[in-house]
């Protein structure tokens, strides 16, 4: 009798153990009917998205919107990890990481992309866009879309344009109201030959430098100033080391939402569509936020003690005239066909 009871007890424990093992799996068991097998668990894919700006900037807010849209619409089968403040490197380093397939998303300036595809320098031509509406029409039109398709040759996928905004000048030396005031100023620029030559034509002494090194360089006097939109100037606290800001509006700077081609090609068609649509929707969200806060950030800069100088139309025209020879010299390097097409698109958008 004891042997029979022991056997029954062991059998019960074994049965409980089998049931217990089933509850520890990462996906619940699917009831099987008619001989069908359970579906394999969905693979979760991770997109690491990095930018150079901090977590208060509209660019990062737009990235969070993208994350929300993608994770919701893929039911969590794609996870977006967001990194700000250059945690994954500067814009060029992150773009190269996308090419290598070791990072999935970054949103650099077209000036950075021009190091890989010279045609993108067309959007860094000084005084190209008179306002945001014209920029929207050109970037969202045939010319802007066609340039995005060229990124595939660089192992990149361009999913649209976001907005950095009109770049304005700050410095620690003097108010800049005319072209003469540029003379001798050491200005940090991005690593872009068109930017460098344009500032030389204005009389400044441009110095290319990674954005992550800029604050310390201004603090130590390595450079006198820099040029960026108001949001960046304020949120990076450049007012702590800069005294003057001028609305030069010398360049309208777009960002390009980039995805690693190796990663994007590995997505299902449905996932690709979700990612593409999310980049577009989050881009519209980011642009609206960027524009709504621009005046607020300028007011904040003045409240922090910066002196604001407004550039008159006459003074701006002198600057436009000074950089025209630079544009002519770079037209062939950029691609004269591309330059002509963009200028034509700008003219049509203004009609």
């Amino acid at each position: 009798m004891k042997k029979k009871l022991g056997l029954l007890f062991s059998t019960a424990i074994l049965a409980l153990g089998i049931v217990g093992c089933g509850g520890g799996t990462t996906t619940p068991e699917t009831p099987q009917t008619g001989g069908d097998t359970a579906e394999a668990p969905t693979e979760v894919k991770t997109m690491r998205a990095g930018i150079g700006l901090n977590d208060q900037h509209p660019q990062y807010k737009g990235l969070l919107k993208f994350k929300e849209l993608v994770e919701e619409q893929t039911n969590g089968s794609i996870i977006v990890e967001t990194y700000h403040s250059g945690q994954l490197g500067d814009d060029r380093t992150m773009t190269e990481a996308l090419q290598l397939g070791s990072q999935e998303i970054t949103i650099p300036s077209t000036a950075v992309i021009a190091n890989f595809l010279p045609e993108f320098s067309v959007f860094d031509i000084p005084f190209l866009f008179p306002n945001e509406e014209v920029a929207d029409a050109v970037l969202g039109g045939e010319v802007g879309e066609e340039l995005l398709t060229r990124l595939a040759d660089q192992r990149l996928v361009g999913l649209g344009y976001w907005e950095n905004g009109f770049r304005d000048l700050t410095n620690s030396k003097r108010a800049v109201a005319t072209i003469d005031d540029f003379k001798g100023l050491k200005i940090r620029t991005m690593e872009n030959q068109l930017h460098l030559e344009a500032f030389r034509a204005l009389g400044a002494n441009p110095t290319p430098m990674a954005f992550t090194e800029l604050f310390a360089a201004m603090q130590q006097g390595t450079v006198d100033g820099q040029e960026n939109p108001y949001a960046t100037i304020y949120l990076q606290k450049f007012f702590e080391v800069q005294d003057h800001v001028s609305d030069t509006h010398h360049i309208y700077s777009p960002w390009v939402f980039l995805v690693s081609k190796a990663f994007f090609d590995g997505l299902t068609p449905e996932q690709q569509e979700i990612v593409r649509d999310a980049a577009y929707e989050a881009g519209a969200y980011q642009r609206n936020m960027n524009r709504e806060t621009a005046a607020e950030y300028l007011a904040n800069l003045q409240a922090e003690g910066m002196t604001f100088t407004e550039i008159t139309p006459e003074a701006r025209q002198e600057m436009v005239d000074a950089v025209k020879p630079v544009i002519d010299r770079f037209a062939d390097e950029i691609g004269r066909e591309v330059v002509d097409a963009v200028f034509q698109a700008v003219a049509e958008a203004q009609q």
Side-chain angles (χ1 to χ4, degrees):
M1 177 65 71
K2 288 183 180 179
K3 286 184 179 180
K4 287 183 179 181
L5 287 174
L7 180 59
L8 288 170
F9 182 77
S10 299
T11 303
I13 293 296
L14 180 60
L16 288 170
I18 292 171
V19 172
C21 289
T25 58
T26 56
T27 54
E29 291 183 1
T30 303
Q32 298 183 25
T33 58
D36 293 337
T37 57
E39 288 186 16
T42 303
E43 178 189 0
V44 176
K45 298 176 181 178
T46 300
M47 303 182 81
R48 287 156 297 175
I51 62 171
L53 296 169
N54 69 28
D55 59 352
Q56 298 303 306
H57 197 282
Q59 186 188 40
Y60 188 71
K61 306 287 188 183
L63 192 53
L64 292 179
K65 183 67 172 177
F66 171 80
K67 170 184 171 69
E68 173 192 327
L69 292 168
V70 168
E71 292 182 355
E72 178 183 332
Q73 293 172 21
T74 63
N75 295 318
S77 66
I78 298 179
I79 300 297
V80 181
E81 296 178 353
T82 59
Y83 299 87
H84 56 81
S85 306
Q87 292 171 304
L88 300 183
D90 61 29
D91 284 346
R92 179 161 184 165
T93 299
M94 289 189 284
T95 302
E96 290 171 345
L98 262 63
Q99 292 179 308
L100 295 171
S102 57
Q103 184 178 327
E104 289 71 43
I105 297 173
T106 192
I107 316 172
S109 164
T110 51
V112 173
I113 296 174
N115 292 294
F116 305 90
L117 275 176
E119 302 97 302
F120 274 86
S121 282
V122 70
F123 297 129
D124 293 288
I125 288 176
F127 308 105
L128 174 64
F129 295 125
N131 53 55
E132 290 98 340
E133 291 74 25
V134 170
D136 287 346
V138 175
L139 294 169
E142 185 177 342
V143 174
E145 291 298 320
E146 196 278 328
L147 281 172
L148 291 179
T149 65
R150 301 189 185 194
L151 289 164
D153 293 337
Q154 297 295 317
R155 303 189 300 283
L156 301 167
V157 177
L159 296 185
Y161 298 92
W162 286 24
E163 179 178 272
N164 191 4
F166 279 106
R167 304 180 77 89
D168 293 299
L169 183 73
T170 71
N171 80 96
S172 58
K173 295 294 185 182
R174 56 179 174 267
V176 173
T178 71
I179 191 171
D180 293 334
D181 297 324
F182 278 91
K183 210 162 283 184
L185 287 178
K186 292 180 290 184
I187 304 298
R188 177 267 176 183
T189 71
M190 288 180 283
E191 192 177 337
N192 179 281
Q193 286 302 313
L194 180 53
H195 282 208
L196 292 167
E197 291 300 324
F199 273 101
R200 290 190 184 108
L202 292 170
N205 180 17
T207 303
M209 182 182 298
F211 183 77
T212 50
E213 302 170 6
L214 175 55
F215 189 95
M218 292 189 293
Q219 189 175 45
Q220 296 163 10
T222 305
V223 294
D224 300 320
Q226 61 83 54
E227 41 86 50
N228 261 299
Y230 297 140
T232 302
I233 297 167
Y234 179 73
L235 293 172
Q236 297 298 134
K237 298 187 176 181
F238 290 164
F239 53 81
E240 293 181 358
V241 290
Q242 298 280 273
D243 300 316
H244 303 279
V245 56
S246 302
D247 67 338
T248 49
H249 274 35
H250 50 279
I251 289 172
Y252 175 85
S253 181
W255 286 313
V256 178
F257 193 100
L258 294 179
V259 179
S260 166
K261 189 174 188 300
F263 177 83
F264 194 76
D265 288 349
L267 298 176
T268 66
E270 181 184 6
Q271 288 174 329
Q272 287 181 349
E273 183 177 1
I274 288 172
V275 169
R276 189 181 298 277
D277 290 347
Y280 179 85
E281 185 176 339
Y285 171 86
Q286 183 270 328
R287 279 193 300 276
N288 289 336
M289 179 182 293
N290 207 52
R291 292 168 190 181
E292 288 172 358
T293 56
E296 176 187 336
Y297 285 132
L298 175 58
N300 290 344
L301 291 172
Q302 293 174 278
E304 293 289 348
M306 292 191 77
T307 300
F308 173 65
T309 302
E310 187 173 359
I311 306 297
T312 67
E314 295 77 18
R316 183 172 281 105
Q317 188 58 50
E318 287 186 3
M319 299 174 194
V320 171
D321 294 339
V323 300
K324 277 182 179 176
V326 175
I327 298 170
D328 292 338
R329 288 202 305 274
F330 274 83
D332 287 332
E333 183 177 319
I334 296 170
R336 192 167 292 275
E337 182 182 345
V338 171
V339 173
D340 290 345
V342 169
F343 272 105
Q344 182 179 341
V346 168
E348 290 174 354
Q350 290 179 282
Q351 291 177 356

